[in-house]
Amino acid sequence: MNKILLIVLVIFMSCNPNKKGNNTAKEAIYEDHIITPKKIIINDNIERHLFDYSISNEIGLNKMHAPEGWTEPIIEAKFELRGIVLSGVLGLEFKEGVKKIPSSKGFLIPNNTRVRIFNAGLEELVLIEVLRPGYQKELVT
């Protein structure tokens, strides 16, 4: 798992190595090779926390903390979403059925896929998400 996380971070960091200052409101602060994430609080059915490490719209990088019982509504995103479950159990509900991804496993949601994302475990869900392209409100229905 550490190798996969390292590869994801290296790819992310190499996307735009000269980006400094002039950040938009959704971007993390990037100075001297250090990214300070923007903390985002999202209220779906239960409050969850997202730490946004994204520095451009080309690729998004988030660490999400979602409590037991959390769920998103059904979405269809026009971006690819992949990641690694660090702790807890991620639930993905597709029209074909539910998939449960345990800790230390990765996941992939291709773009234009209808899915409900939820915490399928009995403890806090923590995961790393990589979005290609990065999150933009107009890309989600």
Side-chain angles (χ1 to χ4, degrees):
M1 181 176 97
N2 288 339
K3 287 182 183 179
I4 294 170
L5 184 56
L6 179 61
I7 290 169
V8 168
L9 290 175
V10 167
I11 291 169
F12 171 72
M13 295 298 288
S14 67
C15 285
N16 199 353
N18 297 320
K19 175 91 176 186
K20 288 188 180 182
N22 298 328
N23 296 308
T24 67
K26 79 174 237 38
E27 295 173 330
I29 298 170
Y30 173 59
E31 288 290 330
D32 299 323
H33 305 284
I34 298 173
I35 299 172
T36 303
K38 179 179 179 187
K39 183 177 181 179
I40 302 168
I41 298 173
I42 302 171
N43 286 301
D44 296 310
N45 67 320
I46 298 174
E47 181 176 287
R48 66 180 160 131
H49 300 129
L50 196 71
F51 297 90
D52 186 356
Y53 291 82
S54 305
I55 58 174
S56 76
N57 286 335
E58 296 171 15
I59 191 166
L61 181 62
N62 302 317
K63 182 178 182 188
M64 184 182 78
H65 293 254
E68 177 185 357
W70 165 80
T71 184
E72 276 189 345
I74 296 172
I75 64 162
E76 184 173 327
K78 294 177 180 22
F79 52 79
E80 177 186 275
L81 176 60
R82 62 176 66 198
I84 303 166
V85 178
L86 301 178
S87 65
V89 179
L90 172 65
L92 301 174
E93 181 181 356
F94 303 98
K95 67 179 177 181
E96 302 84 19
V98 173
K99 301 284 184 190
K100 291 184 179 179
I101 293 81
S103 179
S104 300
K105 296 293 183 180
F107 62 94
L108 170 66
I109 304 170
N111 63 342
N112 299 314
T113 301
R114 289 182 57 85
V115 63
R116 182 175 70 92
I117 304 168
F118 63 100
N119 183 341
L122 300 175
E123 62 184 277
E124 179 182 47
L125 170 65
V126 180
L127 54 85
I128 300 291
E129 303 175 313
V130 178
L131 296 76
R132 289 186 331 166
Y135 179 81
Q136 298 163 54
K137 189 173 184 174
E138 60 273 11
L139 297 178
V140 179
T141 56

